[in-house]
Amino acid sequence: MPEIVAILSGLVGLFVYWLIRLDGMDAIAAQFSTAARARRAQRSRDAEARAAVRSVTEPRDGALALMIKLGSVDDVLLPGAATLVDDAARHVFGYGDKVVEHRTFAEYVARNTPSFSVLFRELAPIFDKKLSPDEKRDLIELLHEVAEAAGGMTPVREAMIDEVQARLLPQKPARA
């Protein structure tokens, strides 16, 4: 037992010596400072991503952003999907001559949101509040068309569309 006490007191002495004489306090402060800086940077990136999505107030702009995010690979909208998105913006959403403005805004929102899930989760309240069930079905159909135009339905795109469908058009349980 006395040997254990001697070893522990020696280790505590070395620790105190390291803290006081060998800049241990500076090393600990630097470690906490780096972690705090990383947390602040991450919060800033998250706030920036949410700010872009939260600036969407119109469900048509939100639908455009979803279509662009779904039809993009590495934040670049594929040509087949781009044609379909422009056509939908012009004819379905009724933007006419203002297609470029609304598409640019939707591209900004889609590009500055980390994932489709985050984008949809932030836009879902707008869709729930302002779209009728028929309009929600039309949005899901448009997403299917964009997925096909962007090179076909992949498991990832299918999961994205399933997420939208599950939230916007929940299945009612069958009564026995």
Side-chain angles (χ1 to χ4, degrees):
M1 186 70 168
E3 296 87 13
I4 295 174
V5 171
I7 292 172
L8 287 177
S9 64
L11 289 174
V12 168
L14 284 173
F15 179 73
V16 169
Y17 182 76
W18 174 76
L19 281 176
I20 295 171
R21 293 290 188 177
L22 300 178
D23 297 329
M25 295 295 280
D26 293 337
I28 291 171
Q31 196 66 11
F32 282 118
S33 176
T34 302
R37 221 177 342 205
R39 282 192 304 272
R40 280 192 303 273
Q42 183 61 41
R43 279 196 302 266
S44 174
R45 284 190 298 272
D46 291 346
E48 183 179 328
R50 282 192 303 274
V53 176
R54 289 187 178 156
S55 64
V56 176
T57 58
E58 181 71 30
R60 297 179 299 172
D61 289 332
L64 272 179
L66 283 179
M67 292 166 60
I68 289 169
K69 193 71 165 177
L70 182 72
S72 298
V73 173
D74 294 331
D75 290 328
V76 176
L77 188 60
L78 299 173
T83 304
L84 186 64
V85 166
D86 286 342
D87 186 49
R90 189 170 283 111
H91 301 298
V92 176
F93 298 146
Y95 284 141
D97 295 337
K98 297 187 179 201
V99 169
V100 174
E101 295 168 21
H102 290 277
R103 179 175 166 189
T104 302
F105 174 64
E107 284 176 342
Y108 168 77
V109 170
R111 186 176 50 251
N112 287 307
T113 305
S115 70
F116 184 88
S117 292
V118 171
L119 178 63
F120 177 65
R121 189 175 43 236
E122 293 290 328
L123 293 173
I126 293 172
F127 295 143
D128 285 335
K129 199 181 315 177
K130 296 186 177 182
L131 296 181
S132 70
D134 288 337
E135 290 171 328
K136 291 175 184 177
R137 278 191 274 290
D138 292 343
L139 172 61
I140 293 167
E141 183 58 37
L142 277 173
L143 292 175
H144 279 285
E145 291 175 15
V146 168
E148 292 299 327
M153 189 64 75
T154 63
V156 173
R157 288 186 182 127
E158 191 171 349
M160 292 173 179
I161 294 172
D162 288 346
E163 179 182 357
V164 173
Q165 189 165 357
R167 170 74 193 266
L168 293 183
L169 299 172
Q171 298 295 323
K172 295 181 180 172
R175 294 187 180 204

